[in-house]
Amino acid sequence: MASPGAARGGIRLEAITKTFGETRALDGITLAARPGSFLVLLGPSGCGKSTLLRVVAGLEAPGSGRLLLDGRDVTSLPPAARGISMVFQSYALFPHLSVAENIVFGLRARGVERGERERRLAQTAELLGLGRLLARRPAQLSGGQQQRVALARAVVAEAPICLMDEPLSNLDAKLRAEMRREIRALQQRLGITMVYVTHDQAEAMSMADQVVLMRDGHVEQDATPAELYARPASVFAASFIGTPPMSLLRLVPGRDGAEVAGAPGMAVAPAAAAGALLGIRPEEVALSDADGLPARLIAAEFLGAETVLACAVGDGEEVLQARIPGNHALAAGTPLRLRLPPAAHLFDAGTGRRLPDPA
Ligand code: ATP
């Protein structure tokens, strides 16, 4: 049991599995979230993020494994007994109720007395800037305002843990960016533990204290955003993070070290790296004049502050992306020379796992 006065909201999952018929949606998930931290479950569609969130919420029973909240085994407890609030992708607001009634609906259902309901409603409305909208119906609100009501409904529960499943996917890009900041600020201000599901790596990187990257029902990497970016544990993690993501080049033995297949005489990594995949972040590549890896431009994409160049290198089968500051209106086919960073990311070409850093 948690000691009295200890910070609340600690989560521990131990070897959680879940199968639906033939599908193994969760394949032994073990992870822990600190009280008051922001944990993001990140991964492609179908990797098991929502199922895992539903297991934590108690909406789905795991096949095996244990869930502990603040040290207490809650695996078989119903949702209402877990001290958890939840925000869904579809805001699930009641159309016939006012904003105020929507916000306190859960409190009313749990028999929280009127004075307390009103105190919490006023506080939550103030926190989320909903004061002037309380009498409206959901249909009279913008998408962003509806999202805020859904958040308010979770906040008003004053639960130490809040779960969110892709809460921003119905909003346009600008509003998404605003709401990201707002949710993060709210989580920090309230000191609650947040478990947040998204397939958007930018959302994960900008909001999380801890990112759990999932793939096919297992944890591919569990790390801080900074570590995930700096030291991806696998080709999958390397390819999932960054805009555009890391380029991966096959290395073959060469005269002075390992080189890109089809680019003889240009060592790009120590000899021991031959046979591996070299990972290069596009922002670490620069254009160079005479020396540098020969390349041919496939396409240039101007993004305003910078241009992303997709380049064919070596035997032409390898594609290296470069993110270069400024506008580079270059025609497809233009020959280029690229300066690469020192070999920082090497991966086993068979298993896809990260190899020890070259000396
Ligand atoms: P998305 O981002 O698309 O929502 P996800 O990562 O949240 O994906 P889940 O919804 O957790 O993935 O699904 C994981 C796997 O389990 C998928 O293969 C999915 O088809 C399967 N699955 C989920 N729920 C059920 C269900 N109720 N019945 C059968 N299969 C299910």
Side-chain angles (χ1 to χ4, degrees), residues 157-239:
E158 296 185 354
I161 296 172
C162 182
L163 311 180
M164 295 196 178
D165 194 349
E166 304 252 12
L168 306 183
S169 45
N170 298 331
L171 306 180
D172 66 47
K174 184 162 173 284
L175 202 48
R176 278 179 82 112
E178 267 174 47
M179 290 303 292
R180 263 187 216 168
R181 283 192 292 275
E182 224 172 278
I183 290 175
R184 177 60 164 154
L186 194 64
Q187 176 267 334
Q188 289 180 324
R189 196 151 145 197
L190 299 174
I192 55 179
T193 309
M194 182 74 79
V195 183
Y196 186 103
V197 163
T198 183
H199 63 270
D200 179 342
Q201 59 94 21
E203 209 161 278
M205 297 298 269
S206 64
M207 296 174 94
D209 295 308
Q210 176 184 1
V211 178
V212 175
L213 177 62
M214 293 179 64
R215 176 192 192 187
D216 296 338
H218 71 259
V219 175
E220 184 79 5
Q221 188 166 6
D222 178 349
T224 62
E227 193 182 350
L228 199 59
Y229 177 81
R231 295 184 56 80
S234 64
V235 164
F236 178 83
S239 318

Side-chain angles (χ1 to χ4, degrees), residues 20 23 25 43-52 60 166 197 199:
F20 296 105
T23 309
S45 182
C47 70
K49 311 177 291 293
S50 298
T51 303
L52 189 58
E60 206 79 75
E166 304 252 12
V197 163
H199 63 270

